[in-house]
Amino acid sequence: MVLRIGYVREHFASPLLQFAEKDDGQTFILIEHPGGTGSLISALEKNEVDVAIALTDPLIAGISRGSEAYKLVGSYVTTPLNWAVITGINSKYRSIADLRGSTIGISRPGSGSQTMAAVMALQHGWFSDDATDIAGKLEFRVNHDIHGLIGSVNAGSTSAFMWEWFTTKPWIDRGEARFIGSVPTPWPSWLIAAHPSPTRAPPDALCDFLTTLSNCVREFDSEEKRVFANIEFIRDKFMYPEDDIKAWLETVGYPSDCATISTKVITDTLNMLEKAGVVNRPASGFDINTFVNVDIARLVD
């Protein structure tokens, strides 16, 4: 069976793209989702993809809210994601503090752009320490993708939005938007999720995919490849300036085994999301086994 792998075509996906070139459609195909993790979760629900490589926080939040469209099966990036805070080129906003009480653009409800807006508000003290449901107290406008988000901040219908720093930088370099801050995630940035049905994501096929992906990730993450080959690959695929590629490579790390998931990552992320008002803890607490397909992934401390 050929797996349908949903992903976001960003520089983080480089090891996956290298794997796809070698596989040439024999065991999986890539399905691009420029709308981000919210779009990927929707695709899992609609039987449009079988596996998604997506952001940690929306994946965990979705399961905590009762989604049965996927479970976590692996890890993809072990370092935080640096979310840029972006506003319009001629807007009045000059800092994160200026955004308080304004309407913030997001790609869709439940997306990383919405989750991180709540984390930003929490970290910058927009509400009292005992405030709850911070996400519910913010004003959002859905703009679907990076193009809609850029258009909205320049039209003035939103004050700002949040997106990965280097992905957004080309718009900044062209003078189409401005950075006014950044908020790194308090958790490793990317996980792997799959539909729990063995007909959608057969365990043997999924384990083979994760094993070979781990090999590709280890190769990409090696010191040897970081010096030249990775820079060339990212420059060819994404047309980023070499200085930006080098700066990003200094910040990113990948797991040695993509089929492992840290229990602490799940619990720490849930704790932060609860404080931000993104998830609600059930009376009995969270059961880690509801988040992870333990037949595929190995939980580690």
Side-chain angles (χ1 to χ4, degrees):
M1 176 182 175
V2 175
L3 293 170
R4 299 169 297 173
I5 311 293
Y7 81 114
V8 180
R9 194 179 184 279
E10 295 176 353
H11 43 292
F12 288 95
S14 294
L16 175 67
L17 293 171
Q18 292 173 344
F19 180 12
E21 289 180 358
K22 295 174 184 176
D23 186 78
D24 196 26
Q26 295 180 68
T27 65
F28 72 94
I29 58 171
L30 292 178
I31 300 177
E32 185 178 347
H33 279 264
T37 297
S39 175
L40 287 165
I41 291 173
S42 177
L44 283 163
E45 294 169 343
K46 296 177 181 178
N47 193 15
E48 295 171 350
V49 301
D50 309 307
V51 180
I53 297 178
L55 295 178
T56 295
D57 37 311
L59 286 177
I60 289 177
I63 296 173
S64 76
R65 297 188 190 107
S67 175
E68 297 180 351
Y70 61 92
K71 283 198 170 190
L72 305 176
V73 296
S75 303
Y76 184 63
V77 174
T78 57
T79 45
L81 188 77
N82 189 26
W83 284 84
V85 184
I86 303 109
T87 191
I89 192 66
N90 295 314
S91 81
K92 64 181 181 181
Y93 305 100
R94 293 292 181 266
S95 69
I96 290 175
D98 294 340
L99 303 177
R100 188 171 181 172
S102 66
T103 300
I104 297 172
I106 60 173
S107 57
R108 64 183 62 217
S111 66
S113 55
Q114 183 179 41
T115 299
M116 284 305 297
V119 171
M120 176 176 68
L122 176 68
Q123 293 182 347
H124 284 262
W126 290 3
F127 303 97
S128 63
D129 291 341
D130 59 352
T132 59
D133 190 23
I134 289 175
K137 293 179 170 64
L138 298 173
E139 292 292 329
F140 296 111
R141 182 185 180 98
V142 175
N143 289 306
H144 306 295
D145 59 21
I146 185 70
H147 303 287
L149 290 161
I150 292 280
S152 182
V153 292
N154 280 310
S157 54
T158 55
S159 60
F161 70 94
M162 301 180 71
W163 212 259
E164 196 274 331
W165 183 279
F166 287 104
T167 305
T168 321
K169 195 170 180 294
W171 280 269
I172 308 302
D173 292 343
R174 292 194 297 267
E176 298 176 25
R178 287 187 293 114
F179 286 148
I180 56 171
S182 66
V183 183
T185 60
W187 44 71
S189 48
W190 298 82
L191 294 176
I192 305 170
H195 195 276
S197 168
T199 58
R200 286 267 302 274
D204 288 348
L206 194 51
C207 288
D208 288 346
F209 171 79
L210 292 169
T211 297
T212 309
L213 179 62
S214 296
N215 294 336
C216 293
V217 159
R218 285 195 296 270
E219 182 178 3
F220 182 86
D221 205 30
S222 68
E223 289 300 321
E224 178 186 358
K225 294 295 184 181
R226 283 173 175 265
V227 172
F228 180 75
N230 290 357
I231 295 171
E232 289 295 297
F233 183 86
I234 295 170
R235 186 165 54 196
D236 290 346
K237 289 292 182 184
F238 300 99
M239 310 301 290
Y240 288 178
E242 184 170 330
D243 287 346
D244 287 353
I245 300 170
K246 289 179 177 178
W248 173 71
L249 285 170
E250 290 178 0
T251 69
V252 70
Y254 289 86
S256 59
D257 183 356
C258 291
T260 60
I261 300 175
S262 166
T263 301
K264 188 174 186 298
V265 166
I266 298 174
T267 56
D268 286 356
T269 302
L270 284 167
N271 289 339
M272 179 60 76
L273 292 179
E274 183 183 16
K275 287 181 66 176
V278 176
V279 303
N280 295 312
R281 185 177 298 272
S284 58
F286 292 113
D287 179 3
I288 295 299
N289 289 320
T290 64
F291 290 83
V292 179
N293 184 340
V294 293
D295 293 330
I296 304 297
R298 180 167 57 90
L299 282 168
V300 296
D301 294 332

